[in-house]
Amino acid sequence: MKNPFKDQPILPIIVGGVAAAVITAWIFNPQSGPAGWIKGLSPSTQAVLGGTMIVLVLASVGLLLTIAASVGARTGALQPAPTGGMSDVIKMLFAPQRTVPDTPPNKAIEDLEAMVGLVPVKREVNGLIARLQVEQKRRAQGLPTAAMSLHMVFTGPPGVGKTEVARALGQIYRSLRALRVGHLVEVQRADVVAGFIGQTAPKMLDKCKEALDGILFIDEAYTLAGTPGSSGDFGREAIDALLKFMEDHRDRIMVIVAGYPNEMRRFIDANPGLAGRFTKTIDFPAYSANNLCEIFGGMAAKQHFTLPEGFQSRVKPWISERSRAQDWANAREMRTLLEKAREAQAMRISVDPSADLSRIEIADLMRATGRG
């Protein structure tokens, strides 16, 4: 059953106004209201009580209007996700409003283009951006427009930039006014699936509300579908709650589900409603050795470290060997490698007070890769 006060934000204002008028008329009715009793008091007491009642009535109306306006205008990621109690009203009124700096469309797109590799991904994303811009121009000129779903499937191995691209899309879509905030809420199965009946849907809805006006990014989404032939898995309950929320807030949330290609096909087949909502799939290729060396160099530069000349020739053989492992995580491996190189550097220079603190040597890299 729909809640009319939730679906029509103007209703609380109307009901509150009528209630305030009725209560005010009763208060000042000399026959049956408090005004008759007040008449028998001294003039000074009458003035105090009358003024107090007027202030209380005005304050009540003002609070009602403030709550209604807050619920209507400050929802989604800008405020704590509401669950229906009075505590939510207090949070809504007093929690600081989240501000997100505006990013020009060109700047957001440039940030995406600056990412290492991902050429086919950038091509797909640029196509989506162009389509969105054209639809906005058609709308501005009064031409008919077609509904455009923002929901997507990201497929590919771990550590290939899926989360970073999702975050960049949020900024791009916000700058193009397709999303009001464009923030990213990243979740996994453990964040939305509970261990008892009836607890999973509220957990999923809480995350969906947190992602309103932005992006809900579900990593390893295929785990929600359970294993083939399994029963009693609460992940299906999470999927049902997600689909209902996507339908009810189709213009206010973008959902991106991510995971391995084969597993994500199984996820889409888990519920007939998923295929109709996730019509766009972007495949993320694994990084090449050259890409990973470039990423490694960029990570080191951000931490103000200088790498030795020709470090690529020492790192590439390790990448070639290590990438055959099942737990290979692409760019994440570069982050781990840099941490190990820093540890090796620290061991080397700890006894040398004159050593260059920002210089990583070949010996440090060899020790980090287990070859030194």
Side-chain angles (χ1 to χ4, degrees):
M1 181 178 178
K2 289 189 175 182
N3 184 347
F5 290 94
K6 177 181 176 183
D7 299 333
Q8 301 292 335
I10 193 65
L11 281 182
I13 299 176
I14 296 174
V15 172
V18 172
V22 172
I23 293 173
T24 302
W26 171 74
I27 289 175
F28 291 101
N29 189 325
Q31 304 298 326
S32 59
W37 171 74
I38 293 175
K39 275 189 174 182
L41 302 176
S42 64
S44 59
T45 306
Q46 290 182 28
V48 171
L49 290 178
T52 300
M53 285 190 290
I54 292 174
V55 169
L56 288 175
V57 170
L58 293 176
S60 300
V61 174
L63 179 61
L64 179 65
L65 294 176
T66 302
I67 292 173
S70 298
V71 172
R74 300 175 66 190
T75 56
L78 299 180
Q79 290 295 324
T83 56
M86 189 63 190
S87 61
D88 292 319
V89 173
I90 297 173
K91 289 180 183 178
M92 186 95 51
L93 292 175
F94 297 105
Q97 183 169 351
R98 176 178 174 181
T99 58
V100 180
D102 207 0
T103 304
N106 292 341
K107 175 62 169 61
I109 295 172
E110 287 172 5
D111 291 342
L112 175 65
E113 291 293 339
M115 294 181 183
V116 175
L118 303 178
V119 174
V121 175
K122 294 172 184 176
R123 188 184 307 119
E124 291 279 359
V125 171
N126 285 329
L128 291 172
I129 295 170
R131 168 74 187 282
L132 181 60
Q133 290 174 324
V134 169
E135 290 297 319
Q136 289 179 334
K137 291 178 181 178
R138 289 179 60 88
R139 186 179 297 108
Q141 296 178 17
L143 297 173
T145 59
M148 183 176 174
S149 174
L150 299 180
H151 311 305
M152 300 182 198
V153 179
F154 283 2
T155 61
V160 291
K162 295 189 288 290
T163 305
E164 288 76 10
V165 171
R167 188 172 288 108
L169 273 174
Q171 294 301 317
I172 291 170
Y173 281 174
R174 179 177 186 271
S175 65
L176 294 174
R177 302 295 184 263
L179 293 172
R180 188 161 64 92
V181 181
H183 64 298
L184 184 75
V185 176
E186 185 177 1
V187 300
Q188 294 182 332
R189 177 187 169 92
D191 300 312
V192 297
V193 176
F196 299 95
I197 295 176
Q199 293 182 347
T200 292
K203 289 187 70 173
M204 172 60 85
L205 291 177
D206 284 344
K207 290 299 181 181
C208 289
K209 291 172 184 176
E210 185 181 345
L212 268 178
D213 300 312
I215 298 176
L216 179 66
F217 183 84
I218 307 177
D219 199 13
E220 298 181 347
Y222 53 86
T223 58
L224 298 179
T227 56
S230 64
S231 60
D233 191 323
F234 298 124
R236 303 299 180 96
E237 183 183 345
I239 294 175
D240 293 340
L242 173 66
L243 288 172
K244 178 66 165 57
F245 194 90
M246 291 169 64
E247 178 64 24
D248 293 343
H249 303 85
R250 62 179 66 184
D251 297 325
R252 293 191 58 194
I253 190 170
M254 174 181 181
V255 180
I256 298 177
V257 291
Y260 293 102
N262 292 337
E263 284 80 355
M264 290 308 298
R265 280 191 284 271
R266 178 166 57 84
F267 168 75
I268 296 299
D269 293 338
N271 188 301
L274 291 173
R277 289 173 175 83
F278 294 96
T279 58
K280 183 67 176 178
T281 299
I282 298 181
D283 295 314
F284 284 66
Y287 283 118
S288 67
N290 288 333
N291 289 155
L292 290 172
C293 285
E294 186 177 350
I295 290 171
F296 183 71
M299 289 178 176
K302 284 183 179 179
Q303 297 183 29
H304 299 282
F305 281 97
T306 303
L307 297 175
E309 292 290 336
F311 76 90
Q312 297 90 340
S313 63
R314 304 300 182 96
V315 173
K316 283 181 181 179
W318 174 81
I319 292 175
S320 178
E321 178 182 335
R322 180 73 182 86
S323 61
R324 299 190 186 100
Q326 288 187 345
D327 61 347
W328 174 250
N330 288 276
R332 296 176 195 167
E333 302 286 347
M334 297 299 100
R335 186 179 298 111
T336 302
L337 179 63
L338 181 58
E339 288 302 312
K340 291 182 177 180
R342 292 187 59 175
E343 292 174 5
Q345 183 224 35
M347 292 291 293
R348 175 176 56 82
I349 68 175
S350 60
V351 295
D352 183 2
S354 63
D356 186 349
L357 299 179
S358 63
R359 176 76 178 176
I360 292 178
E361 300 290 355
I362 289 293
D364 303 327
L365 290 176
M366 291 299 94
R367 191 167 289 109
T369 58
R371 300 181 177 215

